[in-house]
Amino acid sequence: MFEIAIIGGGPSAACVVAAMAYRIAPEIPINVTVFEPGPNLWRGRVFQPDGDEVLANVPMEDMSAVAWDPEHGVRWFHENGLGDLAADTTVPRRHQVGRYLEDTAEQAIAAMRAAGSNVEIRTSTVTSLEMDEGKFWTHGDDWKAGSFDQVVLCLGATPSYDHYKLSSSAGYIADAYPLREALIDVPEQASVGIVGSGLTAIDVVMGLRARGHRGPITLGSRNGHLPSVRQRPARHKLQHLTVRRIEEVTAANGGLSFDDVVELAKAELVAVGTSIAKIAADFSCTTPAVTRLRNDLVRAMEDRDPGWPVLRDGMVACGQDAWYLLSDADKMRVRAWHQTLMRHCCPMPPANAALLLNMFHSGQLAITGGVRSILPRSTGGFDIDAERPAVVDVVISASTPAKHEIPPAARPLVASMESQGLVAAHPFGGVRVDRITSRLVSRRGVADSKLHALGDLTNGAYLFTFGMPVLAARADCIAMDIAATMGLFPKRS
């Protein structure tokens, strides 16, 4: 029987399992082995059990784990008594999305087994992968398993990033998740510094607030920006910011430039009647973060301009392909606007924005940019050197590195593959993959039909490697590519 190994068992793997159950198992029985040593199978770090204050940031209608059925997630919420959280303007709790992912994977596994396939979950850490006579063998500290015809890497992201080398300091919390555990020992009156000002940092603020924290809280980051506030969906069928148009422009021009992508974006904005000047003003806006938050919240509640929702939809639909096709020089141009793109691509829910604004107005919450250093004090606590210096009792890490790196837990595995030439590092981080199939590209520049990767490991080859629409679409492509390698012609949506 055809043997497939999935290394990693988080949300990416849940999408892959669901896609295999739909695309491959109805055609031929397969053996699937999922390696996941962590406690949150299918949920990963992001959707693990946590408090109700931890929101998903994205409405459920954009969280389907199966690319061929966009209503899958919404339908599951209705069927499980959570229909009030399935509306397009409501975001669910993150642990509820985790339940959905668990159920989706378990139903897919049950369907595969009913069709004659075998699925095994192994709570083992894979530290190396070896190829022998066309087959793959996985290795751990004291075990070996194989032989596999196909391997899919779903390794997840780095849990946290210690910008300021504080890991050995008392009062430093290196990983914010789960909040119910990370924040349990934070004294109620303590002054808290949060490294970062993005969505993870906002989760931490919401976690402290839910626990009745009374002390001052400072958000500190290099840029001092907050995410924008999610607006109502645009309900617009994309005409220009599509993979097809990106490919047509690339073929016609012999390559894709950043200016080409900008022109496609402008055409999409014109198609929905929004103001290009208004969008351009957002990119160059220097309004203080709290003022922007207030303005963004008003816009989310009252403004029906579809500009940013349309651009966000376009970034999800074709952002990975556009980034992949750009030259390195143009990638650097995009990176210069990375923070602005992320601010609008990954907005916060209006409910969180309203609570944040109240905390800013009360004086409990502050934000500063220009963080240069955070140093432990000999008498306890930390000095934050920034535009608005602060002294805090506790520091909580809630940031990501400027350049994504291989997660520490995955480095031995990736190093073993690099030593055999099975993978090649990407200059922008992660490893090289084929744009369409997500096949890993070897040291010789060959896309290997037996090796695929999904998620954070592909950061560099792709610009956005997270979000359920991206994961579900790539997982589906991987399943269809494996099916084609097996000589199957799986059903297509």
Side-chain angles (χ1 to χ4, degrees):
M1 198 179 289
F2 200 82
E3 300 276 351
I4 301 174
I6 301 174
I7 303 178
S12 298
C15 294
V16 171
V17 167
M20 288 181 176
Y22 184 73
R23 302 292 186 186
I24 302 174
E27 307 291 329
I28 187 172
I30 54 177
N31 281 336
V32 179
T33 303
V34 180
F35 295 91
E36 174 50 59
N40 299 303
L41 182 64
W42 311 127
R43 291 172 175 261
R45 175 172 174 262
V46 173
F47 299 109
Q48 64 184 298
D50 214 331
D52 283 349
E53 75 277 8
V54 187
L55 302 181
N57 296 313
V58 178
M60 201 59 215
E61 68 171 13
D62 292 331
M63 296 283 278
S64 173
V66 294
W68 57 92
D69 184 0
E71 298 299 316
H72 187 266
V74 169
R75 198 163 55 249
W76 184 92
F77 263 57
H78 281 288
E79 292 169 354
N80 286 271
L82 299 169
D84 58 324
L85 296 173
D88 60 11
T89 56
T90 306
V91 294
R93 280 86 174 178
R94 214 170 295 165
H95 66 80
Q96 294 167 332
V97 180
R99 277 183 53 205
Y100 161 65
L101 291 171
E102 283 182 337
D103 203 40
T104 298
E106 288 167 3
Q107 288 185 17
I109 290 171
M112 283 197 278
R113 287 172 175 161
S117 294
N118 298 315
V119 181
E120 178 185 3
I121 310 298
R122 293 192 54 162
T123 56
S124 307
T125 299
V126 179
T127 57
S128 66
L129 185 71
E130 175 185 279
M131 189 174 192
D132 184 23
E133 296 183 356
K135 302 283 188 175
F136 295 101
W137 293 83
T138 55
H139 296 256
D141 291 338
D142 55 2
W143 59 268
K144 176 179 179 180
S147 58
F148 297 106
D149 300 286
Q150 288 274 347
V151 175
V152 183
L153 302 182
C154 300
L155 300 180
T158 301
S160 61
Y161 185 67
D162 186 6
H163 283 279
Y164 304 105
K165 312 302 180 188
L166 300 173
S167 58
S168 61
S169 302
Y172 175 68
I173 299 173
D175 190 355
Y177 298 116
L179 292 174
R180 58 186 169 80
E181 295 179 6
L183 304 181
I184 194 169
D185 292 326
V186 176
E188 186 179 286
Q189 300 289 349
S191 56
V192 177
I194 301 173
V195 183
S197 56
L199 292 177
T200 300
I202 292 168
D203 281 348
V204 175
V205 174
M206 294 297 104
L208 290 167
R209 178 188 175 278
R211 285 153 184 77
H213 190 80
R214 295 168 179 263
I217 303 168
T218 299
L219 296 168
S221 64
R222 292 179 296 259
N223 55 65
H225 296 163
L226 290 166
S228 63
V229 181
R230 181 170 290 276
Q231 296 175 253
R232 293 177 179 273
R235 306 297 181 207
H236 166 70
K237 182 176 175 57
L238 295 168
Q239 303 170 36
H240 305 278
L241 285 174
T242 66
V243 175
R244 181 181 62 81
R245 284 293 295 131
I246 290 288
E247 290 175 338
E248 288 174 351
V249 171
T250 302
N253 297 346
L256 184 73
S257 71
F258 177 67
D259 293 333
D260 292 331
V261 178
V262 170
E263 289 306 311
L264 291 173
K266 287 180 178 178
E268 202 70 76
L269 292 173
V270 169
V272 295
T274 197
S275 166
I276 295 174
K278 185 176 180 180
I279 297 295
D282 275 345
F283 272 94
S284 58
C285 180
T286 58
T287 303
V290 179
T291 304
R292 291 192 76 176
L293 175 65
R294 187 184 304 110
N295 294 341
D296 285 346
L297 186 56
V298 169
R299 176 159 51 179
M301 304 305 292
E302 301 177 3
D303 192 350
R304 295 296 184 266
D305 189 304
W308 275 113
V310 165
L311 287 183
R312 185 166 59 248
D313 290 347
M315 283 188 271
V316 171
C318 70
Q320 285 194 326
D321 296 87
W323 169 267
Y324 192 103
L325 293 167
L326 291 175
S327 67
D328 285 356
D330 274 332
K331 285 185 172 74
M332 292 303 297
R333 290 180 66 189
V334 173
R335 285 205 132 171
W337 294 100
H338 180 73
Q339 294 297 334
T340 299
L341 286 173
M342 294 305 295
R343 170 179 142 72
H344 288 283
C345 181
C346 304
M348 72 178 90
N352 278 356
L355 293 174
L356 279 180
L357 197 57
N358 287 339
M359 294 177 73
F360 278 120
H361 286 166
S362 74
Q364 183 184 15
L365 182 62
I367 184 170
T368 183
V371 175
R372 291 174 284 273
S373 67
I374 301 178
L375 299 174
R377 297 163 63 93
S378 59
T379 55
F382 303 84
D383 284 313
I384 300 177
D385 181 15
E387 291 170 2
R388 295 177 61 182
V391 177
V392 298
D393 302 310
V394 176
V395 168
I396 303 172
S397 177
S399 64
T400 56
K403 177 180 177 180
H404 281 251
E405 301 174 348
I406 306 298
R411 286 172 191 165
L413 169 60
V414 176
S416 78
M417 297 176 70
E418 283 182 318
S419 68
Q420 300 168 75
L422 297 175
V423 297
H426 194 283
F428 285 84
V431 298
R432 292 186 180 275
V433 294
D434 177 68
R435 176 175 70 91
I436 297 173
T437 62
S438 293
R439 295 177 180 180
L440 285 165
V441 175
S442 71
R443 183 191 300 153
R444 296 182 294 112
V446 177
D448 193 331
S449 63
K450 297 180 178 182
L451 288 171
H452 297 80
L454 179 64
D456 203 66
L457 188 62
T458 64
N459 196 296
Y462 301 132
L463 181 60
F464 304 110
T465 58
F466 51 86
M468 207 56 66
V470 169
L471 295 179
R474 291 293 171 188
D476 198 32
C477 289
I478 288 170
M480 287 193 286
D481 190 51
I482 292 174
T485 300
M486 297 168 65
L488 304 177
F489 296 93
K491 58 183 176 182
R492 295 176 178 267
S493 304

